[in-house]
Amino acid sequence: QVQLVESGGGLVQPGGSLRLSCAASTSIFSKYTMAWHRQAPGEQREFVATITSGGSTNYADSVKGRFTISRDNAENTVYLQMNSLEREDTAVYYCNAKLPASVRRYWGQGTQVTVSS
């Protein structure tokens, strides 16, 4: 069982920045592929970004060039740096973790990001 705790959400103006953090309670954090998804009101949850154990990253087209995912294996934490935020980025952001050989995906409780003037 992996516990994931997100933090760093909040209210920001369009064009602003936020950094989300997700702390994981596992001794083998470095082996997990970590990802961020988000869910806007009335919408389905959608993929945002992922980072593998080897550090390879992938992004949704809507956030490429604006968001950066990174990880600190010593701190068991994955980050999502979000720049040039747009109103359309408003959503609950969820961290998740998955081992490559497993079908099970662990989810955090989510953190709210609101982009508004």
Side-chain angles (χ1 to χ4, degrees):
Q1 188 78 6
V2 179
Q3 304 291 330
L4 301 172
V5 180
E6 299 99 333
S7 60
L11 174 64
V12 62
Q13 292 187 343
S17 298
L18 280 176
R19 188 176 83 154
L20 305 183
S21 300
C22 172
S25 64
T26 172
S27 60
I28 56 169
F29 174 79
S30 64
K31 298 185 184 297
Y32 280 86
T33 293
M34 302 299 297
W36 289 93
H37 285 65
R38 66 187 182 186
Q39 187 166 16
E43 303 288 335
Q44 291 195 353
R45 193 172 296 189
E46 64 175 6
F47 167 76
V48 175
T50 189
I51 184 166
T52 68
S53 59
S56 296
T57 59
N58 191 32
Y59 297 91
D61 287 344
S62 59
V63 307
K64 278 181 183 175
R66 300 188 298 121
F67 290 11
T68 302
I69 188 171
S70 62
R71 66 191 300 160
D72 183 339
N73 290 336
E75 297 293 329
N76 282 12
T77 301
V78 63
Y79 302 98
L80 185 67
Q81 177 66 45
M82 306 186 294
N83 298 329
S84 301
L85 282 161
E86 303 169 353
R87 287 182 174 83
E88 293 74 20
D89 297 316
T90 295
V92 178
Y93 284 70
Y94 296 92
C95 168
N96 62 87
K98 181 182 173 301
L99 288 171
S102 174
V103 298
R104 181 166 186 178
R105 189 180 297 273
Y106 298 94
W107 293 88
Q109 83 288 350
T111 186
Q112 176 71 47
V113 172
T114 302
V115 184
S116 175
S117 55

